[in-house]
Amino acid sequence: MMLWYKAWLETRWRFAFLVGSILLVWIAPLWLPSTGVTPGMIASRMWVALQLESVLLSILAAIYLAGAGINTQTMYSATSGFHGSMLFTLSLPVSRARLLVARAGLGALETCGLVVLMAGYMLFLKPGAVSALQAFDYMVRAVVCAMAVYALSVLLACVLDEMWQFTGACILWVGFFLLQSKVNMVSQISPLRGMSLNCYPLTAPMPWAPVVASAVLAGVLLYASVLVLQRKEY
Amino acid sequence: MNEIIATNGLSKSYDGKPALIGLDLAVPRGSICGFLGRNGAGKTTTLKLLLGMLRRDAGTIRLFGEPVDSEASSIAVRQRTAFVSEDKELYPFMTVNQTIRFTRPFFPAWRRDLEEKYLDLFQLPKKKLVPQLSKGMRTQLMLLLAMARGAELLMMDEPTSGLDPSLTEEVLQALADLAASDGTTIFFSSHQLAEVEQLCDRVCLIDRGQAVIAGVLDDLKAEYRRILLVFDAEPPRELAGLPGVDHLRRRGRTASLLAHVDVDAVVERAREFGPCSVEVRPVTLKELFLDHVRGE
């Protein structure tokens, strides 16, 4: 339990920052020139903003929340290298798998929370057009697909320091985005497409291929992370 | 099993460069053992191997009489062991109080009385974040976390590095009290020979990844003798080959021998080289250390 408490203390400001960022993106359209703008138009603008930004925000949240605490434990002291307080953590009578489960688990919960927050907002914006079931379907696929992005970030956090983990994850997903636009098979199972409202509108049936592929990918990557962390030397 | 730490042929290399070469180590239960050596001699590597932070290339480790050869056995060992790392890094996002509250549940034998005692003794500000503490306070907090665990074995890597003399004395006293009152075994690496002499009843000196001296400190001091020889000319190199001579240092017309086996016989044989004067005197820990890491 205390490991989850530590993970929360470690990530709470990141989580708060991401919640703030998402709220900012949503309310930004309200600040646009408002002459002649009706409430309906505002809602419409926010809907567009949500569709455009939700995938990007989900990816950034998944990458950012997987950072500190897995391998690097915050670069508080430059003189002691990137491991920081890792030696203190490793002196506790806890397996490395448990350390990873607590840290990655809390980050995954936070990522899910953010994705659900974004998906749930649709009900507020389009109460008539979207049924609760459709919104739930979208939440499920967005969460599962975001977990694939998150799991890759966790794996990178096990081998790289925080700066390179963030940069590396961004580069990999940009590369993946370009790949999916060229290769149809990749596109069919891409987590990025799976969570997009442009590719699969709310009224479309659940896109099982990217959802299943994302779940498998997340599982494999998290298992690989445990193996990497267990073999790592400090 | 009387030995709380026992290693046999422990070896570790980094990228092909050996850090430990067949280290044999034995630390009896209830002792305070100083682990000495130059920078890069392999002290930190040994401590990390004992705690499972590194994987050994060869050799065996037994702690509390049990082999440490899996993660499960390492976890069992860490339940009974406290560790203070050299860098004294704790979580920068926690206060002193949060750090203590975080650590406490991992150790069923946690000593609330010691927690209170050292909080009071070190006057640590409970509500301050770790980065707001001075290095001395961070060290004290780490020591509090280590000592209150109720651990049977306390391993420390340079516990007093960066502390002023008054804080150092406070820390040494706290460690001595803990060993005396609870029978805790203390195994710590240090460069401060004076504090090792003050606190330890045993020492182990390693150099280039191998143990060169190990034993009870008083026995070692009684066993070793410094033999100073003054010659008319440059002292002969052959002195180093005399039976019982551990190390020879030559400076000008003076030769300094460190001997520990049948010192009288060594003196007699040394006289055969025709020195002008011969003097035999006891050695300090510092001399033992310097001779073994710098001797010819």
Side-chain angles (χ1 to χ4, degrees), chain A residues 77 89 92 96 231 233, chain B residues 12 55 71 78 89 91:
Chain A
S77 170
T89 307
L92 300 172
R96 293 190 183 187
R231 294 194 60 77
E233 297 197 308
Chain B
K12 175 70 186 169
R55 275 173 286 119
E71 191 177 35
R78 278 178 269 151
E89 289 282 354
Y91 307 127

Side-chain angles (χ1 to χ4, degrees), chain A residues 2 5-6 9-10 73-74 76-77 80 84-85 87-96 231 233-234, chain B residues 12 48 52-55 71 75 78 89-93 98 101-103 105-107 131 138 149:
Chain A
M2 295 315 285
Y5 168 69
K6 167 184 165 280
L9 291 180
E10 201 160 26
Q73 294 252 301
T74 67
Y76 154 60
S77 170
S80 63
S85 48
L87 295 185
F88 178 73
T89 307
L90 292 174
S91 75
L92 300 172
V94 179
S95 71
R96 293 190 183 187
R231 294 194 60 77
E233 297 197 308
Y234 290 88
Chain B
K12 175 70 186 169
K48 286 182 173 180
M53 293 168 186
L54 293 172
R55 275 173 286 119
E71 191 177 35
I75 291 169
R78 278 178 269 151
E89 289 282 354
L90 289 163
Y91 307 127
F93 45 84
Q98 284 172 328
R101 271 174 44 210
F102 167 77
T103 312
F106 290 101
F107 300 95
R138 243 173 33 231
R149 284 181 189 193

Side-chain angles (χ1 to χ4, degrees), chain B:
Chain B
M1 180 66 67
N2 192 36
E3 285 163 356
I4 205 161
I5 301 175
T7 71
N8 189 13
L10 191 60
S11 298
K12 175 70 186 169
S13 58
Y14 299 105
D15 300 324
K17 193 180 169 195
L20 284 184
I21 309 163
L23 179 70
D24 297 331
L25 191 64
V27 178
R29 191 179 288 273
S31 62
I32 304 181
C33 182
F35 195 35
L36 305 171
R38 291 185 290 186
N39 286 332
K43 302 188 296 295
T44 302
T45 297
T46 305
L47 291 171
K48 286 182 173 180
L49 283 167
L50 293 176
L51 285 162
M53 293 168 186
L54 293 172
R55 275 173 286 119
R56 59 183 179 268
D57 297 338
T60 59
I61 297 173
R62 293 180 78 87
L63 291 172
F64 305 102
E66 300 292 327
V68 184
D69 48 15
S70 64
E71 191 177 35
S73 57
S74 177
I75 291 169
V77 160
R78 278 178 269 151
Q79 192 95 54
R80 303 162 73 182
T81 307
F83 175 61
V84 176
S85 64
E86 185 182 3
D87 52 23
K88 320 287 187 304
E89 289 282 354
L90 289 163
Y91 307 127
F93 45 84
M94 284 190 190
T95 62
V96 169
N97 205 29
Q98 284 172 328
T99 307
I100 294 170
R101 271 174 44 210
F102 167 77
T103 312
R104 199 187 290 145
F106 290 101
F107 300 95
W110 185 270
R111 297 273 305 272
R112 285 270 194 164
D113 57 326
L114 292 180
E115 176 194 319
E116 296 296 330
K117 177 184 166 184
Y118 291 119
L119 263 176
D120 191 43
L121 179 70
F122 297 147
Q123 296 189 322
L124 291 167
K126 280 181 164 184
K127 289 182 179 169
K128 271 199 174 181
L129 282 167
V130 167
Q132 294 171 325
L133 302 178
S134 65
K135 179 159 188 189
M137 282 181 162
R138 243 173 33 231
T139 302
Q140 288 171 321
L141 177 55
M142 282 216 85
L143 284 166
L144 181 154
L145 296 172
M147 293 192 284
R149 284 181 189 193
E152 296 163 57
L153 171 62
L154 181 51
M155 288 200 252
M156 296 178 290
D157 197 0
E158 306 279 352
T160 58
S161 68
L163 298 186
D164 66 45
S166 136
L167 270 179
T168 299
E169 193 54 39
E170 218 168 72
V171 165
L172 293 180
Q173 193 55 53
L175 291 171
D177 288 348
L178 186 73
S181 62
D182 292 29
T184 308
T185 308
I186 298 178
F187 180 61
F188 75 103
S189 76
S190 180
H191 287 123
Q192 305 300 321
L193 299 174
E195 74 186 36
V196 170
E197 249 178 325
Q198 178 186 340
L199 186 65
C200 296
D201 52 20
R202 299 182 70 89
V203 290
C204 175
L205 169 60
I206 67 166
D207 194 39
R208 298 180 185 92
Q210 290 177 304
V212 287
I213 298 182
V216 176
L217 184 56
D218 287 342
D219 290 351
L220 290 172
K221 282 187 186 172
E223 197 178 307
Y224 279 89
R225 284 290 178 270
R226 161 87 52 224
I227 305 169
L228 289 169
L229 305 163
V230 181
F231 291 86
D232 288 333
E234 189 180 327
R237 283 180 184 276
E238 291 74 20
L239 285 166
L242 291 178
V245 171
D246 274 24
H247 292 284
L248 162 69
R249 267 190 291 154
R250 298 181 306 154
R251 185 172 295 163
R253 295 186 297 117
T254 308
S256 168
L257 305 177
L258 185 71
H260 82 285
V261 179
D262 200 358
V263 175
D264 291 340
V266 174
V267 171
E268 283 312 307
R269 289 193 195 101
R271 284 186 195 281
E272 290 169 13
F273 288 90
C276 308
S277 74
V278 178
E279 186 189 342
V280 180
R281 63 184 197 202
V283 293
T284 62
L285 180 60
K286 185 178 177 182
E287 285 177 300
L288 277 178
F289 178 85
L290 291 176
D291 268 74
H292 279 89
V293 301
R294 292 197 317 208
E296 286 181 30

